[in-house]
Amino acid sequence: MPGPEKTEVGDLAILGGRPAFEEPLHVGSPNIGDRDRLRERIDDLLDRRMLSNGGPYVREFERRVADLVGVKHCVATCNGTLALEIAIRALGLSGEVILPSFTFVATAHALQWQEITPVFCDIDPETCNIDPARVHELITPRTTGIISVHLWGRPCNTQALVEIARERGLRLLYDASHAFGGSHRGRMIGSFGDAEVFSFHATKFINTFEGGAILTKSDDLAEKARLMRNFGFVSYDNVAHVGTNGKMSEVAAAMGLTSLEAMDRFIAVNRANHDQYARALGGIRGLRVLPNDDRERCNYQYVVVEVDEAEAGIDRDSIVQALAAERVLARRYFHPGCHRMEPYRSYFPHSGLLLPVTERQSARVFSLPTGTSVSPDQVAEIVQLLALIVEHGEALSEALARRQAGTGHPAIYRPRVA
Ligand code: T4K
């Protein structure tokens, strides 16, 4: 139930008012498809006693995803990180690989985990994706590939990247964790580069509880990835490759198939929320929702707001803090950039000097709750809160600064939620 409407700055929970929401609103609250259908599938897989290791639901899920993307092979995995690790290994990446720092840390960890050096590249200020013009400068004799991320589902400059990869003999892998269901230049994401990787984690708009997939048109790469996903087993007692256990379980695939059946509805809800936020926030000074290309297909699963502090009179972190007090748990994805996280911060302490756009953008953006668990009324209320926060931006900033100086607590905290 929403709380009383807030009109005065003193109504804000950060200044002592009652929180606007009784239950926290999350970024990444899962979308759940038809529960009866899911239960039927779970009963079926329990009856058949086939729970993992390439059962019929995983094979069906792979087929459905491959068909949707229009790519020959889909290799489903237990999560997106393992999909990245396997793809990196199957592609034979080694030495140094170029990637954006402005991504979830899994993109970098998937390399470092295999003792491959992640080389962080700056981003384009508008798309927040890797800037192909900067990629050139980072190529050395040790570079073997590029991992580009379709951040928040917004496609990378694939044309420029493929040219660089071709010219310099590099492999090109996309981390498409956010971009399932999207298209670019009329072609589905998942079909670009040597391979692309999706995440089907609970927080993604299509989820398999935990899950991921590698998409590729290459028979050879798909074969290698399939072997690596299952310890390298070719047959019962014949191992042809070093491998890991990256298999998707049957129950995960059952959830995935059920999610896919509701995909159009999830996208419609995401899009309605996105458009409602974009329209309403367009009227608040210093805030804007990053746009998607409406001519393309898009899952609209992230609503990303950019804050112009000079115009808004308040910085991003103070806004996020004020929202958290209202139980709106906006997220600073992907602050502060991988280069400021360990072990990368210690390995490359000065890399921020080469990443000015990353540093700037990672301090300006935040993501708002959306998905099927957020209603239009709740969106409207979040917008009202933002309007009040910005209207009293200067006063709020001063109050927060005074409080911080008094307590010594950092401005951002992770609220405890039930
Ligand atoms: N590459 C990229 C670009 C990625 O974004 C990711 C994952 C990966 C690779 C790796 O894919 P996976 O191996 O994860 O498949 C979350 C997700 O755990 C992560 O999958 C996702 N990206 C990332 C963007 O978001 P955190 O650290 O923000 O998780 P956490 O626990 O704070 O959860 C996010 C919010 O979702 C919370 O506010 C609570 C809510 N939530 C979460 C879960 C799991 C729910 O309401 N229900 C749930 O069941 O990473």
Side-chain angles (χ1 to χ4, degrees), residues 24-30 32 77-84 102-108 110 149-152 175-178 197-204 207-213 302 329-331 333-334 373 414 417:
L25 289 177
H26 294 281
V27 175
S29 179
I32 316 280
T77 58
C78 55
N79 60 54
T81 306
L82 252 292
L84 280 171
F102 198 39
T103 176
F104 190 62
V105 72
T107 323
V149 182
H150 304 295
L151 199 74
W152 307 310
D175 180 342
S177 289
H178 306 163
V197 161
F198 291 128
S199 165
F200 297 112
H201 182 258
T203 53
K204 301 295 179 288
N207 85 83
T208 58
F209 302 121
E210 290 271 3
Y302 288 99
L329 305 184
R331 296 295 297 263
Y333 288 143
F334 288 96
S373 62
R414 207 167 171 142
V417 293

Side-chain angles (χ1 to χ4, degrees), residues 252-266:
M255 180 66 166
L257 288 165
T258 310
S259 299
L260 284 177
E261 284 160 3
M263 181 162 161
D264 291 345
R265 179 168 65 84
F266 295 161

Side-chain angles (χ1 to χ4, degrees), residues 275-312:
D275 290 353
Q276 187 182 345
Y277 274 125
R279 268 195 313 275
L281 294 185
I284 301 177
R285 67 165 197 265
L287 303 189
R288 78 166 180 133
V289 173
L290 295 191
N292 291 292
D293 183 346
D294 291 335
R295 293 163 307 181
E296 299 284 352
R297 292 175 66 164
C298 177
N299 60 40
Y300 297 91
Q301 74 179 311
Y302 288 99
V303 176
V304 184
V305 181
E306 185 176 22
V307 182
D308 181 334
E309 183 184 340
E311 244 191 89

Side-chain angles (χ1 to χ4, degrees), residues 43-103:
D43 277 341
D44 178 52
L45 71 90
L46 293 176
D47 288 346
R48 277 190 284 103
R49 294 176 189 271
M50 188 67 198
L51 307 187
S52 190
N53 292 12
Y57 283 131
V58 167
R59 292 201 302 275
E60 187 183 344
F61 181 71
E62 290 182 331
R63 219 169 30 247
R64 295 276 304 277
V65 170
D67 286 350
L68 201 140
V69 173
V71 161
K72 189 167 176 195
H73 302 286
C74 168
V75 182
T77 58
C78 55
N79 60 54
T81 306
L82 252 292
L84 280 171
E85 287 175 15
I86 292 172
I88 286 164
R89 201 156 190 133
L91 280 167
L93 299 185
S94 63
E96 294 174 3
V97 170
I98 297 168
L99 75 163
S101 168
F102 198 39
T103 176

Side-chain angles (χ1 to χ4, degrees), residues 24-319:
L25 289 177
H26 294 281
V27 175
S29 179
N31 296 319
I32 316 280
D34 183 333
R35 288 171 193 232
D36 289 337
R37 202 56 199 103
L38 177 62
R39 285 190 195 104
E40 272 171 36
R41 286 188 166 112
I42 294 174
D43 277 341
D44 178 52
L45 71 90
L46 293 176
D47 288 346
R48 277 190 284 103
R49 294 176 189 271
M50 188 67 198
L51 307 187
S52 190
N53 292 12
Y57 283 131
V58 167
R59 292 201 302 275
E60 187 183 344
F61 181 71
E62 290 182 331
R63 219 169 30 247
R64 295 276 304 277
V65 170
D67 286 350
L68 201 140
V69 173
V71 161
K72 189 167 176 195
H73 302 286
C74 168
V75 182
T77 58
C78 55
N79 60 54
T81 306
L82 252 292
L84 280 171
E85 287 175 15
I86 292 172
I88 286 164
R89 201 156 190 133
L91 280 167
L93 299 185
S94 63
E96 294 174 3
V97 170
I98 297 168
L99 75 163
S101 168
F102 198 39
T103 176
F104 190 62
V105 72
T107 323
H109 279 352
L111 290 164
Q112 189 65 45
W113 193 253
Q114 310 190 62
E115 297 186 0
I116 299 168
T117 305
V119 175
F120 296 120
C121 182
D122 213 359
I123 52 170
D124 175 279
E126 185 51 40
T127 64
C128 292
N129 285 325
I130 201 166
D131 182 349
R134 301 272 82 80
V135 170
H136 280 290
E137 300 159 6
L138 300 172
I139 297 172
T140 74
R142 298 189 68 228
T143 310
T144 56
I146 302 166
I147 302 182
S148 188
V149 182
H150 304 295
L151 199 74
W152 307 310
R154 302 190 326 154
C156 311
N157 184 342
T158 52
Q159 304 90 288
L161 289 169
V162 86
E163 271 167 37
I164 297 170
R166 242 187 238 134
E167 209 176 279
R168 308 299 295 263
L170 303 176
R171 308 312 297 263
L172 181 55
L173 173 64
Y174 290 100
D175 180 342
S177 289
H178 306 163
F180 182 62
S183 69
H184 178 50
R185 298 189 149 225
R187 208 171 118 186
M188 291 302 281
I189 292 178
S191 65
F192 292 92
D194 290 304
E196 301 213 45
V197 161
F198 291 128
S199 165
F200 297 112
H201 182 258
T203 53
K204 301 295 179 288
F205 92 106
I206 292 292
N207 85 83
T208 58
F209 302 121
E210 290 271 3
I214 302 163
L215 279 286
T216 181
K217 52 187 172 300
S218 158
D219 296 340
D220 181 49
L221 190 66
E223 175 63 13
K224 270 195 195 141
R226 283 201 180 97
L227 289 175
M228 288 179 175
R229 170 181 70 172
N230 187 27
F231 313 102
F233 274 109
V234 181
S235 59
Y236 276 153
D237 39 22
N238 180 9
V239 170
H241 238 290
V242 66
T244 185
N245 183 355
K247 290 172 271 123
M248 178 179 275
S249 69
E250 283 290 276
V251 73
M255 180 66 166
L257 288 165
T258 310
S259 299
L260 284 177
E261 284 160 3
M263 181 162 161
D264 291 345
R265 179 168 65 84
F266 295 161
I267 292 177
V269 170
N270 283 349
R271 177 154 193 183
N273 286 347
H274 190 278
D275 290 353
Q276 187 182 345
Y277 274 125
R279 268 195 313 275
L281 294 185
I284 301 177
R285 67 165 197 265
L287 303 189
R288 78 166 180 133
V289 173
L290 295 191
N292 291 292
D293 183 346
D294 291 335
R295 293 163 307 181
E296 299 284 352
R297 292 175 66 164
C298 177
N299 60 40
Y300 297 91
Q301 74 179 311
Y302 288 99
V303 176
V304 184
V305 181
E306 185 176 22
V307 182
D308 181 334
E309 183 184 340
E311 244 191 89
I314 184 166
D315 65 14
R316 185 273 314 266
D317 288 354
S318 303
I319 294 175

